[in-house]
Structures are given as structure tokens and as C-alpha cells.
Amino acid sequence: MTTRYVGAPVLRVEDPAFLRGRAAFIDDIAPPRCLHAAFLRSPHAHARIVRIDTAAAAALPGVHAVLTGEDFCDELPFTTTIATRPECKTGTRRLLPLDKARHVGDPIAVVVADSRYVAEDALDLIVVEWQLLPVVTDPEAALLAGAPLIHEELGSNDFAHITFTAGDPDGVFARAPRTFSKRFHFGRTHAAPLEGRGVVADWDATTGKATVWTSTQMPHLVRGMLAGQFGMPETSLRVICPAVGGGFGLKVQLFVEEAIVPLLSRRLGRPVKWIEDRSEALGASGHSKEVVMDIDLATDDEGRFLALRGRYVGDGGAYLAHPWTSLIDPLCAASFLPSFYDVQDLAYEVRTPFTNKCPSVAYRGVGWTPGQAAREILIDEAARALDIDPVELRLRNAVPDGIPYRSATGASYDGGSFQGAIRRALELVDYDGLRERQATLRAEGRYLGIGVSPFVEQGGWAARIAAVNGFPGFAYLDSASVSMEPDGTVTVAGGFQSNGQGHETTMAQVVADALQVPFESVRVLQGDTDTVPYATGSYGSRTAVVAGGALLRASGDVRAKLLRLGAHLLEASPDDVELVDGLIRVAGTPSRSVTIKQAAAAAYWGPRPDDLDPALSATRSYDPPETFSNACVVAVVEVDARTGQVAIERLLVVEDCGTIVNPLIVDGQVSGAIAQAVGAVLLEGLPYDEHGQFRAATLADFLFPKTTDLPSVEVDHLETPSPVTEGGFKGMGEGGLIGGPSALVNAIADALVPLGAGASVVRTPLRPCDILELIDAARAAV
Amino acid sequence: MSNERLVTVTVNGERRSALAEPRTLLVDFIRHGLGLTGTHVGCEQGGCGACTVVLDGELALACCTLAVQADGATLQTVEGLAPAPDRLHPLQSAFQAEHGLQCGYCTPGMLIAADDLLRRTPDPTEQEIRSHLSGNVCRCTGYTGIVAAVQTAARNLRAQATETRGVTAS
């Protein structure tokens, strides 16, 4: 097949609408007579609701309804568990609580009014009498006997306790020449898309049908879960997803607000809109990645890894992310404990208690991010203790390139460039030169640090990858369709949901090549459950693999029909014709050809073979085998020992996602994920005080990485196509935030080594105040 | 609401009036009063720059400005950037060429801020670009493509200006 578009930096077709301000995001959806909702949220981390007085709020002119938990008593609660994991409890959550608030930001009541301004006025008039309860914000404390219970009916705060052993790790540790241990507390992060959550609903009581517009990454899953919630057929519910102003995994959850707003519309008989404000987004949507980890590594005297042990305690927050649960962080971290290092003896333990904090949800890289950070910083410390260069130590233990390998946790790697990516990265940054410069600068009292973080990234989250990550026993149905219109143009439709990744471009590239038609003749439809085939959405680096694979299959079906139609027009055998560059031609006799347009017209209007079903349309699905991308991140930083400031000098990524669909988009994904890594390590933290009060509710407290916080990210590509997936795609998108934080943490620790504080890096974030504290403590210790 | 008053602005060269309460934010007035939804709300705290517009020649955060404060003022929003319905502004073309946008939510504010920079500083250094755009948050791109786009646009605008001067001279 001639490839013209896959692999080329095709400019995005979606851009002009965004550049002109014409794209419609959720707040641009404005049905006539639309009312506006605002939520009253708990100011307390843990408090019983003694009484709520809504009378004054309800009496305010312009207010249409003020509703509390009592008003939703008859609605089903969210019921969340991992049914295939007997270690899990089942969490339930009422749409609005009847009994108590469980975290600051917990929605308690909702007002519907003529405008958002009036709705917020009314919130101020609601009087709640609270009875404060003891608070627990530390996940390990939440596991102790006598800890305040977040959900009394569960009997404890421990949602899940999962253990896994391969080989004989304890025996190996007992005999190992060298052992190393590290406790690392990865701090809370927030996906924080620039556009928060938002829902608009229009429930037509006369037809029993409802339309829900929501800013999500998974329209069909939202439809299915809401239809179940409301006891209505999926065909009566239409979920439309307008342009999504960033998701990063946050919008892969169903939130209670998405269930409440349609019910408000049903009740009031008018469309209702709720748009999250920034403080709600920061404190009441979802936090991520806070995991406390204890990692042990056993090696021989040459640094060969012999065994690994990991204990992961994830901070689950007050409620379970629906449907993934709070295991999405600690269990994914544990499942990739060995990464691509050849270690067959290992054990892990995972717990994920409830706490009085914002619920933990998925965010780009989920638990792989903290897991990578803990393991990789331990490897750097082991390298220092063994007096082996940290990169050399990794190369000694990396599985070889290009061959299948099965990890001790059961992941089947489909052949990567684990060592090649490291070597290429070293070459590009001139690693030896950097180490020399580091030595020179140290002599001058300047602290340069180098962090190298190679990683393996699951690609294409679907049944098999989910199982490898500890979520076994679920099938995934991701379908997409390809239809050729009578004029030879092509309509692609699927349940993938772009939230910045440019699927309208990449999916068109895949299909244009498969059908040998011009890219411009392919349009891509998404974001409306009434018009696109079922799929579970876009998350987990999956769309190129899963949707791309389904589209290759569907294109193959259409292509086969085009070949038969062309052969019929050419009076040739279908076996003798080929599809090349917009033409169907007799192989070896290129002068005998018809255009695809002629073949398409023949399907609709003839002439065509009598025994051919002429529908030039196919819907296919793909639930791919395991596939894994890999990459290596290098961070070079300079730490100012007087101010604690970290200046980032270079951020370089060598990535290998198999067959690249669009290098422009791959580079953009890498660069964006790396910036989020900078935020996670240097800026974020989302602290709670001892009363469970949230201390980062504005953008003065939660700092986004800005233009001045990082340099341009350098990206280089290796391309090891997957031998097992359709098209060789491996999937990417999350990686920069898997490998980025550990590169930065290790670079900072490396910079701090001469100050005696290298090993005391035990948590993120590492803000200037945190770094000064480490330096001061190290100085006080000598 | 009884306390609404008429606010009149010249936006993107067009004189427009709509009602606003004294407390109505300029960004809500632009979006809902004038129907110019290209300007986005990112935080209502002045912390992200998504609502950046030009108000009487200066960059302004429309989420931290009241609509009544803009009565009689001249505004420019992203809708006023392109020279024609079928043509993009060189900054817009450069953002597409350099992949300076992903989800597109920050893009209007980013373009307005970048346009302001290039009007004042036609040949900015990378540091000047980063400094000028430091009030505009992009959560998607890591800014690599944005900085490259502003550099490309600056180059193209300067070439365009040279060409125009050449045409005028001849």
C-alpha cells in the first residue's frame, strides 16, 4: 500500500475553527429558555448535615428550584466497584448526600435560576447547620484502627487490599548481596484542563427523550451509565460532546453533576446548564496520583537487579472515581513495578483508602507516573551507592530491544527500543559532555543535575492492557465506520472523542491511505451518540491503536468492494486489479484503470456485479493485543542553592510509539505531557491542612506551568512498529507525564548530591521552599 | 433585571449595544450579550488569560473587567483577527503550521496576546515571546509549538511588511 499521509506532518483540519473562535465548547451550547444551575458545596472536610434551610434561596426572584439530597432520594446512587476483583469493596454514592459531607467541595444542594449570577446569589441564602466530624487526610492514617470512617457502611476506609507475588522475592532479598529501599510520597496533582467540566441537558417529558451535552472523553459510556441511572433505553438518551477544552483523563469519569443536571431539566421542563467554575474544578472535580510508596530493590555487586518489592498506598479521596475506582493510581503503579527491567522475582501490595479529600481520578499517565518516580529515584540512589553511572545501571538491566518479553507482572511487551531510546537520548544531550560540565560547575559552587528516565508505556487501553494493569475480565467494544459516498468522498465516524489530540486529522490520514484517496476527501465525525458507532472513548493512549485499527479493518472491507467494482468496470478479474493513488488499475497494465470515484458511482448507480452487496460502508471494531510504546526523557536542571529555584535547561524526549500517524501531533503530545510533568514536580501539590481544609482553590495557589517555567521540549523519534497491532500503531500521549516527573525529580536529586541532600528527596512537589528545606536539613546534619 | 443598562462598544470595528447589569463581567457581556463566544472563560480569577481581549488598545482580562467599564470603549476579540472570512491572519496560519494549539481553548486569548506583542515588537526574541505570553496558560502544548508559531508569524509579518513597502515604493 502506498503511504502518503500516515507518517506525514499533516496540518490539522480542526484548527481553523479554533483559530477563528468559531468552535463550540460546552459553555457555547445555549438552547432557548435555558436555565442555569449552581452547586452549594461543603466548606467542611467531614461534617454531618443537621439541617438545611432553603426557604430564603427559593424565594429569591429568578430562582426556579433549590434542591438537596432529600429531593434525589428516589434516584439510584452511583455504585462503583471492580467486579472482577474480589479484594474490592463496593462503594455507593448518592447524587447529593443525605447524611454528611465527606470533603471540602462535596456538593450539598443545587440551585436552578434564570442566570448563573442569580443562582450564585441564591447559594448565599442557603443556611446549613453542620456538626463537625473528625477528619482524616493522610491515607496511611486512614487505614489505622479507630480512624474516622468516611463511609460507615463499609466498616473501614480500606477500599481494596491487593497483593501479588511472582517467583520468590523474599528469598532473593534474604540472599542478595545488596539491597536498597526508598519511601517516596508522590504529591497530589490535577489534570486541570483549561476548560472545566460542564453539562447542558434538555429532557423532553412528552417524548421521554433527553439530550445531554457534556464535556467528556467518552460519550457512549456516559450515555450507557446515565441511561442505567435514569432507567431509560439507551436509544432515548442522546449524548453530544462539543469541542472539549482539554481532558487529560479527568473527563473519563462520570461525575454526579452529569447525572443531576439532566434530572433538573426533567423536573423543570426546560434546558439546564451547569458550567464548573475554577474553584470547583480545583477542589471538587478530581485529584490524582497521590500515592505513598515503599520500594525495595535487591541487586548483585555488579548492579544486576535481582528482585523488587513495592508497597503502594493510594489516597483515594472521599468517593470512588466512577467507573474506574481509586485503584487507577496505585494498582497501575504496582502493575508496572518492573518496567522494562528484567526482574522475575517481585511482590507488591496495594491499598487505596478513602480520605476526607477530593476523589482520586484518572489523569494522564495515571499511577504509572508515581510508580515510575519511586522506582527510578531508587535506581539512581542504588547507582550512587554502587558507584555505577545511573544510565549504565539501567542499560545493564533493560530487556533487549526488538524482541517480545513477558514481565513478571504479566505484561507481554511487543518489542521496543528500550535500550536504543536511552542510547539515542544520551547521544542527543551529549551525556558525557554534560557530566563533565556538571563537574566543572560543581567546582564553582553551581549545582547542575541530570535526570534520565526511560519508560515503557502501555498503548491502546482495551481488554488486554486493562487486565495487565489489574483490571481483568472486561471486554471493550470500540467500533468505527467508513462509508464512501457516491462521489468518492469518505465519511468516517467513531466513538473516539478528541479533546485536543486532533483525531479529525489523524483518523482521516489512516483512512485516506487505506483507501488511497486524497486526505481532503475524508471527513471525520465524532461526539454524538446518535450518529457515530459505539466506542468507549479516547483515553489511555488508545485512539491510534483502537480506533485506527477498527478503521483499517473497515477500510479493508470497503476497499475489497471497490476492487470488485473496479474489476467489473475494467472487465478484469478482481484478483488482477490493485488500488493505487485514487485509481483501480489492472496490475502490470496501468493504462487500464478507473478512478475510485467511478467505482463509487458504480456501487450506487451501476454497473455492478449482481452478487455484490454494494453498500460501500463498513463498521468494524478492534480490541487489540497488548502493545507498548517506550521512550526516554532527559532533564537537565540547575538548582540555585540560595533560593531553591530550579531552572530547567533542557528537556529532551526520545520516543518510540511504533508507526507514527502524524509526527507534528506526536511532538505536541510529548511536549504538552512534559509541561504537565513540570507542573507536577515543581508547582502543584494541592495541599490540605490538618482540618481537611483545601489550600489550593484558586490559580494563585495552584500554579499552571507557564511559558517562562520551561524551555522548548526537544523530541526525537525512533520507530519500531508493533508486530501485533493493526497498522503497527502502539499508542502514545500519556508518556511524557509517565517519564517526565521522574526525570525532573532525579535531576534535582542529582543536583543536590554535593549539598548532601540527594537522598533526602522523598516527595513531590519540589517547590523552592521544599528544596531550601532539604538543603538546610542537610547542612544542619553535618 | 431592572438595573440593567445599555452598554455600547465598538467591537472588531462594529458598533454594538447590549444590556448588562452593573455586575456583569465583560467576558460574559462579550460572550452572551454580543454573541462573540470565541473569547473563553478559564478561571474568573485573572489567572489564566483565556479571556484576553484588547480594550482601548491595551490587553485586558475580560473576566476581571465589568461590562459597564467598557461602555464607549473599543474592543478587539479573536473574531476580529482574520482579514477576511476565507483567510487567516498570519498568526493564525502560523499556529496551525507549528501545531501551536491542541484543544483550542486558550487559543483565542493566546492569539490576542501574541498579536499585541507583534504590533509592539515585530522581531521579538524567544525570551520576549515567553515573557509576553506568561499570563496566558496553555495546558496542552507545553508552549513549544506556540513559541515557534509566534516566531514564524513574526517572520512572515515582517516579510509581508517588506513586500508591501516594496510595492508602495515601486
Side-chain angles (χ1 to χ4, degrees):
Chain A
M1 185 172 85
T2 317
T3 295
R4 293 174 297 174
Y5 302 111
V6 170
V10 175
L11 298 189
R12 300 200 325 168
V13 295
E14 41 276 89
D15 284 357
F18 292 121
L19 290 161
R20 288 178 164 275
R22 291 179 63 108
F25 291 89
I26 187 70
D27 192 30
D28 303 330
I29 305 299
R33 302 181 70 236
C34 191
L35 298 171
H36 299 265
F39 286 90
L40 180 75
R41 296 181 181 277
S42 172
H44 302 298
H46 202 189
R48 197 156 299 288
I49 303 165
V50 179
R51 187 178 63 90
I52 305 183
D53 183 350
T54 60
L60 188 73
V63 170
H64 292 255
V66 184
L67 304 175
T68 67
E70 299 285 349
D71 298 292
F72 296 95
C73 266
D74 296 335
E75 301 298 332
L76 291 172
F78 279 14
T79 301
T80 315
T81 191
I82 304 295
T84 53
R85 295 233 56 143
E87 306 97 323
C88 292
K89 293 179 173 156
T90 298
T92 57
R93 177 180 189 178
R94 289 189 169 278
L95 298 186
L96 290 177
L98 284 168
D99 52 349
K100 64 178 184 175
R102 291 171 177 82
H103 71 98
V104 169
D106 205 353
I108 301 301
V110 60
V111 172
V112 187
D114 284 333
S115 78
R116 178 63 175 254
Y117 287 72
V118 174
E120 292 195 19
D121 287 344
L123 291 184
D124 289 343
L125 300 174
I126 299 173
V127 179
V128 186
E129 187 183 324
W130 298 99
Q131 180 197 344
L132 300 189
L133 298 170
V135 169
V136 61
T137 58
D138 178 282
E140 291 182 306
L143 289 169
L144 299 175
L149 292 180
I150 318 297
H151 298 275
E152 286 87 349
E153 69 280 11
L154 297 181
S156 86
N157 292 322
D158 200 5
F159 166 64
H161 187 186
I162 292 170
T163 58
F164 175 89
T165 304
D168 175 28
D170 289 346
V172 176
F173 268 95
R175 295 186 301 272
R178 304 293 297 267
T179 62
F180 307 92
S181 295
K182 181 78 185 179
R183 181 176 171 81
F184 197 84
H185 185 154
F186 201 92
R188 288 175 98 66
T189 61
H190 200 309
L194 200 54
E195 178 203 44
R197 300 174 295 150
V199 190
V200 182
D202 187 3
W203 196 309
D204 183 344
T206 52
T207 61
K209 293 189 183 221
T211 302
V212 175
W213 293 262
T214 184
S215 187
T216 186
Q217 297 170 237
M218 47 171 208
H220 283 95
L221 287 184
V222 169
R223 184 186 74 176
M225 289 191 276
L226 287 183
Q229 179 77 32
F230 303 146
M232 68 201 293
E234 294 208 31
T235 44
S236 292
L237 188 59
R238 178 182 191 182
V239 173
I240 299 176
C241 184
V244 179
F248 315 116
L250 178 76
K251 296 175 183 175
V252 187
Q253 274 71 217
L254 184 76
F255 294 95
V256 285
E257 292 90 342
E258 287 173 296
I260 292 170
V261 173
L263 293 173
L264 299 175
S265 175
R266 183 178 73 183
R267 190 180 184 106
L268 296 167
R270 287 175 63 174
V272 176
K273 175 192 281 195
W274 168 69
I275 301 296
E276 180 176 66
D277 73 22
R278 183 54 57 183
S279 293
E280 290 180 293
L282 287 170
S285 57
H287 295 172
S288 303
K289 298 189 191 295
E290 183 172 12
V291 187
V292 183
M293 298 162 284
D294 291 282
I295 312 291
D296 306 319
L297 168 67
T299 76
D300 65 15
D301 289 321
E302 282 73 51
R304 198 158 300 110
F305 297 174
L306 303 176
L308 280 161
R309 282 190 303 229
R311 177 171 179 268
Y312 301 83
V313 181
D315 187 329
Y319 299 100
L320 295 172
H322 191 63
W324 310 101
T325 81
S326 52
L327 283 171
I328 197 76
D329 278 331
L331 189 54
C332 288
S335 301
F336 279 77
L337 172 57
S339 186
F340 57 80
Y341 303 113
D342 185 16
V343 179
Q344 288 297 327
D345 295 278
L346 65 78
Y348 66 69
E349 178 184 8
V350 168
R351 305 185 77 173
T352 170
F354 293 101
T355 61
N356 291 118
K357 287 149 89 174
C358 185
S360 285
V361 303
Y363 169 27
R364 196 178 209 164
V366 293
W368 305 306
T369 308
Q372 169 86 3
R375 181 204 328 105
E376 296 298 318
I377 194 162
L378 175 60
I379 291 174
D380 261 30
E381 289 183 7
R384 284 195 286 273
L386 291 160
D387 198 23
I388 300 173
D389 178 86
V391 184
E392 169 57 28
L393 182 60
R394 289 181 170 87
L395 284 168
R396 265 181 216 180
N397 289 285
V399 303
D401 288 357
I403 60 158
Y405 175 85
R406 190 173 162 83
S407 82
T409 51
S412 294
Y413 300 153
D414 53 335
S417 54
F418 308 120
Q419 303 195 13
I422 298 173
R423 294 204 167 90
R424 177 77 181 139
L426 296 190
E427 182 189 321
L428 289 171
V429 296
D430 181 20
Y431 184 69
D432 295 339
L434 267 179
R435 286 289 178 201
E436 281 168 32
R437 203 171 124 239
Q438 180 181 44
T440 311
L441 288 174
R442 277 182 184 177
E444 297 169 11
R446 289 176 59 188
Y447 304 101
L448 193 76
I450 304 156
V452 179
S453 170
F455 63 93
V456 59
E457 174 183 4
Q458 65 81 31
W461 182 284
R464 289 169 193 80
I465 287 283
V468 164
N469 277 287
F471 300 81
F474 297 98
Y476 282 69
L477 198 157
D478 286 282
S479 60
S481 70
V482 172
S483 306
M484 187 168 276
E485 311 293 352
D487 64 355
T489 58
V490 178
T491 299
V492 169
F496 44 81
Q497 183 58 54
S498 185
N499 40 105
Q501 302 92 335
H503 296 151
E504 288 179 39
T505 303
T506 51
M507 294 301 107
Q509 287 177 259
V510 169
V511 171
D513 273 354
L515 292 177
Q516 293 289 298
V517 296
F519 170 77
E520 297 72 20
S521 71
V522 183
R523 67 162 173 170
V524 176
L525 306 179
Q526 59 182 342
D528 183 346
T529 59
D530 267 12
T531 59
V532 304
Y534 192 96
T536 67
S538 287
Y539 52 91
S541 300
R542 70 198 308 267
T543 301
V545 180
V546 173
L551 288 172
L552 281 175
R553 290 179 167 186
S555 298
D557 292 352
V558 172
R559 181 188 168 90
K561 289 190 179 183
L562 286 171
L563 286 170
R564 283 208 57 196
L565 289 158
H568 189 73
L569 291 173
L570 292 164
E571 294 177 352
S573 159
D575 296 335
D576 294 339
V577 297
E578 58 187 10
L579 184 63
V580 181
D581 203 7
L583 297 174
I584 297 157
R585 65 190 191 195
V586 178
T589 318
S591 57
R592 286 185 63 202
S593 68
V594 293
T595 63
I596 284 178
K597 196 172 169 173
Q598 288 173 298
Y604 287 84
W605 323 116
R608 62 195 186 201
D610 290 337
D611 60 344
L612 177 73
D613 176 340
L616 280 182
S617 185
T619 303
R620 294 287 299 271
S621 67
Y622 190 44
D623 193 347
E626 287 171 56
T627 186
F628 296 86
S629 294
N630 65 272
C632 182
V633 184
V634 182
V636 183
V637 307
E638 184 171 351
V639 175
D640 185 328
R642 289 168 303 125
T643 64
Q645 285 281 351
V646 174
I648 304 174
E649 196 171 284
R650 280 185 88 174
L651 289 165
L652 178 136
V653 183
V654 175
E655 73 78 39
D656 186 343
C657 61
T659 304
I660 296 173
V661 178
N662 187 327
L664 206 60
I665 285 174
V666 170
D667 287 359
Q669 290 293 311
V670 171
S671 176
I674 288 288
Q676 291 177 328
V678 170
V681 174
L682 298 183
L683 303 169
E684 294 178 24
L686 301 152
Y688 284 82
D689 72 11
E690 68 274 25
H691 308 294
Q693 204 44 251
F694 182 52
R695 306 293 290 272
T698 75
L699 293 187
D701 312 292
F702 175 89
L703 303 181
F704 280 111
K706 299 199 168 177
T707 45
T708 44
D709 290 321
L710 72 161
S712 289
V713 178
E714 304 162 69
V715 186
D716 190 55
H717 306 279
L718 299 176
E719 204 165 342
T720 311
S722 172
V724 298
T725 66
E726 295 279 356
F729 308 132
K730 287 182 167 175
M732 61 82 57
E734 303 183 271
L737 190 49
I738 298 172
S742 52
L744 284 159
V745 167
N746 271 336
I748 292 165
D750 185 45
L752 294 176
V753 166
L755 292 160
S760 52
V761 175
V762 294
R763 60 189 309 139
T764 58
L766 294 164
R767 298 157 299 181
C769 57
D770 303 305
I771 288 173
L772 281 183
E773 209 171 284
L774 295 178
I775 294 171
D776 289 348
R779 283 187 177 142
V782 281
Chain B
M1 276 265 168
S2 54
N3 62 348
E4 283 182 330
R5 58 197 65 190
L6 198 67
V7 171
T8 302
V9 294
T10 303
V11 58
N12 303 326
E14 192 185 345
R15 200 175 151 81
R16 298 278 309 275
S17 298
L19 291 172
E21 290 181 55
R23 66 173 175 176
T24 301
L25 298 178
L26 178 59
V27 70
D28 288 337
F29 177 78
I30 290 171
R31 289 175 49 74
H32 307 305
L34 303 179
L36 295 168
T37 53
T39 301
H40 296 149
V41 181
C43 66
E44 292 178 309
Q45 299 170 352
C48 79
C51 65
T52 305
V53 297
V54 178
L55 174 65
D56 283 337
E58 298 290 335
L59 290 182
L61 296 173
C63 82
C64 295
T65 308
L66 296 172
V68 290
Q69 290 176 284
D71 193 19
T74 301
L75 287 172
Q76 195 204 3
T77 66
V78 69
E79 288 90 347
L81 210 51
D86 61 346
R87 268 194 305 145
L88 294 178
H89 182 277
L91 255 173
Q92 293 170 317
S93 306
F95 266 66
Q96 184 179 27
E98 301 289 350
H99 194 26
L101 67 154
Q102 290 181 22
C103 82
Y105 200 76
C106 76
T107 308
M110 198 67 83
L111 287 169
I112 290 292
D115 184 50
D116 178 71
L117 170 68
L118 296 186
R119 283 172 191 279
R120 294 162 200 267
T121 315
D123 189 9
T125 63
E126 179 180 341
Q127 200 42 54
E128 284 172 322
I129 294 170
R130 287 186 177 274
S131 173
H132 193 83
L133 297 182
S134 64
N136 291 76
V137 168
C138 170
R139 190 58 163 166
C140 294
T141 65
Y143 307 106
T144 307
I146 290 173
V147 171
V150 177
Q151 288 170 325
T152 298
R155 220 168 24 246
N156 292 343
L157 280 162
R158 289 199 306 279
Q160 211 177 64
T162 312
E163 237 168 66
T164 313
R165 274 200 301 278
V167 170
T168 316
S170 64

